[in-house]
Amino acid sequence: MSPAGTLLALLFFATFSLAQEKVVPAAACADISYTDVYKPVQILANADSDCTWNILRPSSEKTRVVFSVLDLNPSADCSQENITLLDENLGELGVLCPNSQRIAVFESPGNVYVKLHTASTTYDRHAYFLYYSVTPANDVQCGGHLNGISGTISSPNYPQRHDHFTFCVWNLEVPKNTKVKLSFSEIFVEPDAACRFDFIALFDGPSTDSNILDILCGRTVAEVETTSNSLTLMFSADYANSYYGFSTTYTALPQSNNSSLACSGESFTVVFDSDYIAALGYSGNELTLADASCTPKSLNPIVFEVPYWGCGTVKKVEDHTVYYTNTIYLQTSGVITRRKQVKFIVTCELDSDSTVEIMYLTEDDIIHNQQEIGNYDVSLAFYPTQDFISPVQDSPYYIELNNTLFLQATVNSQDPGLTLFVETCFASPTANFQSPTYDLVRRGCAKDDTYHDFPSGNGFARFSFSAFKFLYTHTSVYLQCQVVVCDTSDSGSRCNQGCITRQRRDLGSSVWKANAVLGPIRLKRHSESETAGSEGEKTEDVVKTEDVVKTDQSSLYVLGISVLVVNVVIAALVLMRYARKNPTGYRYHSVATQ
Ligand SMILES: *[C@@H]1O[C@H](CO)[C@@H](O)[C@H](O)[C@H]1NC(C)=O
């Protein structure tokens, strides 16, 4: 664009933006219906108010309601004072209480009713929401889940104007023990003293239910840090005055001590604050692992992915505990240097209950260390035959009566020196295993006479069982297994002890235990079901179960089974405790139809 063109554009922009100053009159408090495609609603209310705003929209369109201000009387009780959103079909979509966060988004097809009740105390209540129908024409595809250690997020079309009704939610997740640092290079969204209209909302955690860190609008820049290793960023725009949006970079930074270590199943991740390394007189590209050909994966922040196998990682087995250690060196060029000699010793320790992470920094005589918790990844799959070549992919997996089921547990690690042992496996009609359970194997001792374990190998354990004997008439069975991970060279490990009777209940030699739940397992249709065919109605399976059970002659019901879940990643006992809170990513505050 020529300078004159730029000037013209600026003039136009200035006039345009001034001309569009938004004024939203307060909505009347009564029983009011709106049929507009979109509407901003400014709420001002005092004591004893009772208002209902009925948003009447076609059921073929999704109605989105975005609250950007919520200031109810903080001393009022939610049962006395709240804003309740109702869906004509689903009922309550959500309730905003005096202590709720000011940003909340609800989505539901068709009509939505917003009801405000206030308590009898005097207080100037304010709230603001925008509703609109989401249509193919205004539905901007944006947002998503981002993993990793650094990157950029920009509003749609940036550096051009974003569309009206842009609504995006990004979830960022950085390695454990790190936090997210966001640095906005530009924010240019519709100015408003309260950021009611267009806004960027930052949440300190994995969802929009997490605490609000900041709400940004106008023309500004910002730097924000989270406390945890996840962040949720919402960008919402209304029906007018779309500017250029925002652009921000994010990086992972250690949560404390300038460095962090996290041991996952695949590798261990070491993150250094690059300013910290700079303060030691070095730059990131002077750092390597013990094997000097292994360099950082990223320089800002400085990140090493340390493999359990390779790059100079040393494995040590001591008292049935496995330690993986590597050292990060600051490489000097060989000439005498006045810089400090620094090395970081990083160790992942895997013991019977958990993975412990240890990090030492030796800086001349100074040693710092950190400890953390982690886990291995173990998965479990069914195989159609005992060659264990390709796992069963079908879901559900139907087998004939008296067929044998083959299972393999696999540890997902690069370390070839690991083996597995299936210690305990039992079945139950419910997923929470509170009902009576039926043992296949317990403490390494077979409890079902068809249970058979195959020789285990590097990184896996295999077993089978046939005609599933189980004393109940439910149609679903869940299978739970505990798997122990051991070092292959450790002859005294739990994996080499086999059946342990009650007198020898010592589990001390296990390296690590994983806990898997598989299921539900369904009773197979009887032979006439072949004709029932293609519709595959599961309810029919359930009904026919009775026949299967009745025709069985033995006192124990011999049940053929079908397995629904085939490729389940085993959640470790440890993992269950430390699992990410919300692995499915973001959810809105109260969106019923996600
Ligand atoms: C919201 O307020 C109404 C009216 O006071 C009350 O009936 C309702 O129970 C409240 N909702 C909640 C969740 O407290």
Side-chain angles (χ1 to χ4, degrees), residues 36-156:
D36 314 58
V37 179
Y38 66 84
K39 194 169 193 67
V41 179
Q42 176 70 54
I43 299 172
L44 300 176
N46 211 314
D48 297 317
S49 298
D50 192 350
C51 334
T52 303
W53 296 281
N54 303 293
I55 303 169
L56 305 180
R57 298 301 308 148
S59 58
S60 56
E61 290 172 359
K62 180 162 71 182
T63 308
R64 180 178 290 147
V65 184
V66 180
F67 275 82
S68 55
V69 174
L70 182 71
D71 182 13
L72 299 176
N73 183 356
S75 62
D77 195 278
C78 192
S79 63
Q80 304 294 312
E81 176 155 332
N82 64 60
I83 297 177
T84 301
L85 280 89
L86 301 165
D87 172 285
E88 61 174 331
N89 301 313
L90 301 170
E92 195 173 285
L93 287 174
V95 179
L96 297 173
C97 296
N99 63 358
S100 297
Q101 306 206 84
R102 57 172 274 195
I103 304 282
V105 179
F106 302 87
E107 288 176 351
S108 193
N111 299 343
V112 173
Y113 312 114
V114 180
K115 290 176 179 293
L116 166 74
H117 296 274
T118 62
S120 53
T121 41
T122 306
Y123 184 83
D124 286 334
R125 284 96 171 159
H126 300 267
Y128 178 92
F129 71 84
L130 166 76
Y131 83 77
Y132 53 93
S133 282
V134 182
T135 62
N138 69 14
D139 195 7
V140 178
Q141 296 304 306
C142 58
H145 200 98
L146 299 167
N147 286 345
I149 45 184
S150 62
T152 302
I153 301 175
S154 305
S155 49

Side-chain angles (χ1 to χ4, degrees), residues 423-472:
E423 201 198 34
T424 293
C425 257
F426 53 91
S428 167
T430 60
N432 60 16
F433 290 86
Q434 289 183 351
S435 325
T437 57
Y438 175 77
D439 285 353
L440 285 169
V441 55
R442 188 164 286 275
R443 292 195 288 276
C445 311
K447 297 291 176 187
D448 177 285
D449 51 18
T450 71
Y451 181 85
H452 173 70
D453 59 341
F454 293 83
S456 55
N458 282 344
F460 65 82
R462 294 164 172 173
F463 62 101
S464 67
F465 55 92
S466 57
F468 196 74
K469 293 177 184 172
F470 194 59
L471 277 168
Y472 76 95

